[in-house]
């Protein structure tokens, strides 16, 4: 038997109450040092899966190995989501296999080769000027809103006060990822709030503040699919100069069906929108709690900053795979059918890979973090777009709001696998 980490009885890295309070870095360190592939027992069905737990993979090298061997570790069998609500049905889990994130080669290869047309370096660069302008506008609008009462929320600044405040998440972090997706796929900007609402409902099912049930989440997913299918149908009827036309409207082979395009938009709405939003929110919090780094950023604008923000934030704490055969990993014997959790938050603090991983260092280079995945077929398709968005928004904040201050502790999302911030109040000195 492999050694057991010294963790409390019943400890579970996917406990949504735990992740609502903090990322468990001390426990990750204990697991990496004693049992880097550790069996985490769970009550049957608590994650939506009829099994007794999963293997927690916490070392950088092992997360990379699993990620780059899809023939041994499947995304399709149980999807990549490591924990659902215990009320979810197997049918509700299985329908999510239509999303590219939950496919295996060769089907994953076929779909990815199609959708990556929209993420070529040229395609991403073509968005830069528009997104730079949008980033400036977002930050200027946030500054104008500071001090106005916000629907009776506590902490709203008062005109004429010494410090005005606003919520950085809803006023800044949310906006650019949504506008980027709208720009990318030709969604009218006025519809971005609907995409935001739908994606929140799909991703926030563990947070009681949102009062979202599995049924509401499924309805939101259906709304996005329907919206996207209608968009695809319109482009087939009347092609335009956008990615939708490239993906669905051309004649011949090698295009997405309307329902495939719908599930691709779900992936964009959650994997592209939620993750970048949380990276930006965590990045601002990191800057405000590490003022020397904020001063350095404002002065030098290092291009390495965005990658360090993603490493530090690691918006997706974990995804999962399922073993397709008996395999040994990190001294543990994993049986065919066992679920395997890839803990990117732990891998991104592995001292075997990162010098002083507990330090937020925007000049860190090289920075082989796994915040965009561990390599292999599921490496984040939109990495270059996400890095651009992070770079553009912090340049805009540094130019327009260089003297931001922290006006309250962040309110964290209750989630089993997302490192999310719901609210981050910041102050603007007069």
């Amino acid at each position: 038997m492999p050694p057991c980490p010294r963790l409390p009885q019943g400890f579970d890295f996917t406990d949504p109450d735990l992740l609502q309070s903090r990322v468990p870095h001390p426990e990750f360190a204990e697991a990496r040092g004693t049992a880097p592939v550790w069996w985490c027992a769970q009550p049957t069905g608590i994650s939506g899966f009829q099994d007794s737990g999963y293997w927690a993979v916490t070392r950088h090298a092992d997360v990379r190995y699993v990620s780059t061997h899809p023939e041994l570790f499947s995304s399709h069998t149980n999807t990549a989501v490591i924990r659902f609500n215990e009320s979810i049905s197997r049918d509700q889990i299985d329908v999510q296999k239509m999303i590219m994130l939950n496919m295996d080669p060769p089907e994953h290869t076929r779909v990815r080769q199609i959708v990556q047309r929209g993420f070529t370096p040229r395609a991403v660069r073509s968005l830069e000027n528009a997104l730079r302008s949008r980033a400036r506008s977002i930050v200027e609008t946030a500054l104008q809103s500071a001090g106005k009462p916000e629907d009776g929320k506590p902490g709203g600044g008062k005109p004429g006060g010494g410090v005005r405040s606003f919520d950085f998440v809803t006023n800044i972090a949310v906006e650019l990822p949504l506008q980027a997706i709208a720009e990318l796929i030709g969604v009218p900007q006025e519809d971005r709030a609907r995409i935001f609402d739908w994606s929140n409902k799909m991703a926030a099912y563990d947070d009681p503040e949102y009062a979202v049930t599995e049924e509401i989440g499924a309805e939101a997913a259906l709304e996005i699919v329907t919206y996207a299918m209608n968009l695809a149908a319109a482009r087939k009827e009347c092609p335009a100069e956008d990615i939708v036309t490239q993906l669905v409207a051309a004649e011949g082979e090698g295009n997405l069906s309307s329902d495939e395009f719908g599930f691709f938009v779900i992936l964009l709405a959650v994997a592209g929108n939620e993750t970048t939003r949380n990276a930006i929110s965590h990045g601002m919090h990191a800057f405000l709690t590490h003022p020397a780094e904020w001063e350095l950023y404002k002065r030098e604008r290092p291009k390495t900053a965005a990658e360090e923000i993603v490493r530090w934030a690691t918006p997706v704490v974990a995804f999962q795979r399922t073993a397709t055969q008996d395999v040994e990993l990190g001294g543990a014997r994993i049986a065919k059918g066992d679920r395997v959790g890839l803990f990117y938050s732990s891998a991104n603090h592995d001292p075997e890979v990162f010098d002083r991983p507990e330090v937020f260092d925007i000049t860190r280079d090289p920075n082989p973090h796994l915040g965009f995945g561990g390599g292999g077929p599921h490496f984040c398709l939109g990495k270059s777009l996400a890095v651009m968005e992070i770079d553009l928004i912090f340049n805009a904040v540094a130019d327009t709001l260089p003297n931001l201050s922290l006006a309250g502790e962040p309110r964290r999302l209750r989630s089993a696998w997302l490192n999310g911030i719901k609210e981050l109040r910041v102050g603007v000195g007069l």
Side-chain angles (χ1 to χ4, degrees):
M1 287 288 293
C4 290
R6 290 168 295 183
L7 297 173
Q9 184 72 24
F11 184 86
D12 185 350
F13 287 119
T14 68
D15 180 352
D17 288 327
L18 171 66
L19 290 179
Q20 185 176 29
S21 63
R22 63 187 176 91
V23 178
H25 286 301
E27 292 84 356
F28 281 141
E30 171 66 17
R32 283 194 308 267
T34 57
V37 181
W38 170 64
W39 178 254
C40 179
Q42 291 179 319
T44 300
I46 197 170
S47 296
F49 302 102
Q50 298 306 306
D51 57 25
S52 57
Y54 63 90
W55 292 97
V57 180
T58 53
R59 275 195 315 209
H60 189 282
D62 294 330
V63 171
R64 279 194 58 83
Y65 182 84
V66 174
S67 301
T68 53
H69 288 80
E71 75 282 4
L72 299 177
F73 300 97
S74 168
S75 297
H76 185 259
T77 304
N78 284 307
T79 78
V81 175
I82 195 166
R83 182 166 176 162
F84 295 99
N85 279 345
E86 54 187 318
S87 61
I88 196 171
S89 70
R90 186 67 209 196
D91 286 345
Q92 288 173 313
I93 293 175
D94 286 343
V95 75
Q96 300 195 32
K97 295 179 179 181
M98 294 281 290
I99 300 173
M100 189 172 68
L101 179 71
N102 301 321
M103 294 178 180
D104 290 332
E107 183 65 5
H108 175 271
T109 307
R110 180 189 72 83
V111 175
R112 186 177 175 108
Q113 284 176 343
I114 297 170
V115 300
Q116 68 186 11
R117 299 173 195 166
F119 294 93
T120 63
R122 180 180 179 183
V124 172
R125 282 196 305 272
S126 72
L127 298 173
E128 185 169 2
N129 287 336
L131 294 183
R132 179 178 289 107
S133 175
R134 293 187 188 282
R136 284 197 302 267
S137 176
I138 288 165
V139 176
E140 288 166 359
T141 300
L143 175 59
Q144 292 165 10
S145 73
K148 295 179 180 178
E150 293 183 21
D151 300 324
K153 290 183 181 179
K158 296 180 181 179
V163 176
R164 301 175 298 169
S165 71
F166 65 89
D167 176 23
F168 184 87
V169 176
T170 55
N171 285 274
I172 292 181
V174 160
E175 279 294 325
L176 192 61
L178 282 174
Q179 295 195 26
I181 290 171
E183 193 79 28
L184 184 71
I185 62 175
V187 171
Q189 290 293 328
E190 60 268 22
D191 284 350
R192 68 182 189 275
R194 298 167 70 189
I195 300 290
F196 171 62
D197 182 56
W198 291 330
S199 68
N200 262 356
K201 287 176 178 175
M202 286 189 296
Y205 54 81
D206 276 323
D207 197 314
E209 181 175 327
Y210 293 109
V212 174
T213 63
E214 294 287 355
E215 289 71 24
I216 292 173
E219 289 170 6
L222 180 60
E223 293 276 12
I224 286 188
V225 170
T226 302
Y227 181 92
M229 289 175 69
N230 288 337
L231 188 63
R235 291 299 186 273
K236 286 181 177 180
E237 185 73 24
C238 184
E241 292 294 322
D242 60 24
I243 186 179
V244 184
T245 300
Q246 293 181 46
L247 298 184
V248 304
E251 294 293 327
E253 296 296 321
N255 300 299
L256 296 181
S257 65
S258 292
D259 58 344
E260 286 177 330
F261 178 72
F263 283 101
F264 169 60
V265 173
I266 284 183
L267 183 63
L268 283 179
V270 178
N273 169 35
E274 295 272 344
T275 54
T276 309
R277 172 213 310 180
N278 284 314
I280 292 169
S281 299
H282 281 289
M284 193 71 256
H285 183 254
F287 276 130
L288 296 181
T289 52
H290 298 78
E293 294 298 295
W294 185 226
E295 292 303 318
L296 173 62
Y297 182 82
K298 289 187 290 186
R299 189 170 62 247
E300 299 184 13
R301 313 293 172 96
K303 286 295 184 181
T304 50
E307 295 281 3
E308 177 68 352
I309 287 168
V310 174
R311 182 195 75 87
W312 185 259
T314 313
V316 175
V317 174
F319 277 143
Q320 75 172 359
R321 302 289 186 265
T322 302
T324 62
Q325 61 188 63
D326 295 351
V327 62
E328 187 165 321
L329 180 72
R333 294 184 177 180
I334 298 171
K336 178 181 179 181
D338 284 353
R339 292 186 298 119
V340 176
L342 306 181
F343 285 89
Y344 308 111
S345 293
S346 177
N348 284 345
H349 278 72
D350 189 338
E352 293 184 9
V353 177
F354 301 97
D355 179 41
R356 299 191 304 155
E358 74 284 356
V359 174
F360 179 60
D361 176 8
I362 61 171
T363 64
R364 189 183 296 275
D365 188 28
N367 191 347
H369 68 83
L370 305 185
F372 292 111
H378 288 283
F379 187 77
C380 179
L381 191 62
K383 174 190 172 178
S384 57
L385 179 59
V387 167
M388 178 194 291
E389 291 175 46
I390 294 167
D391 185 59
L392 291 175
I393 202 68
F394 281 108
N395 268 281
V397 172
D399 288 341
T400 307
L401 293 168
N403 298 317
L404 281 184
S405 60
L406 201 57
E409 287 302 306
R411 293 178 57 240
R412 294 176 55 82
L413 179 70
R414 186 179 187 273
S415 173
W417 55 279
L418 281 170
N419 185 20
I421 294 181
K422 294 189 290 189
E423 181 181 38
L424 178 67
R425 296 209 69 81
V426 293
V428 182
L430 290 177

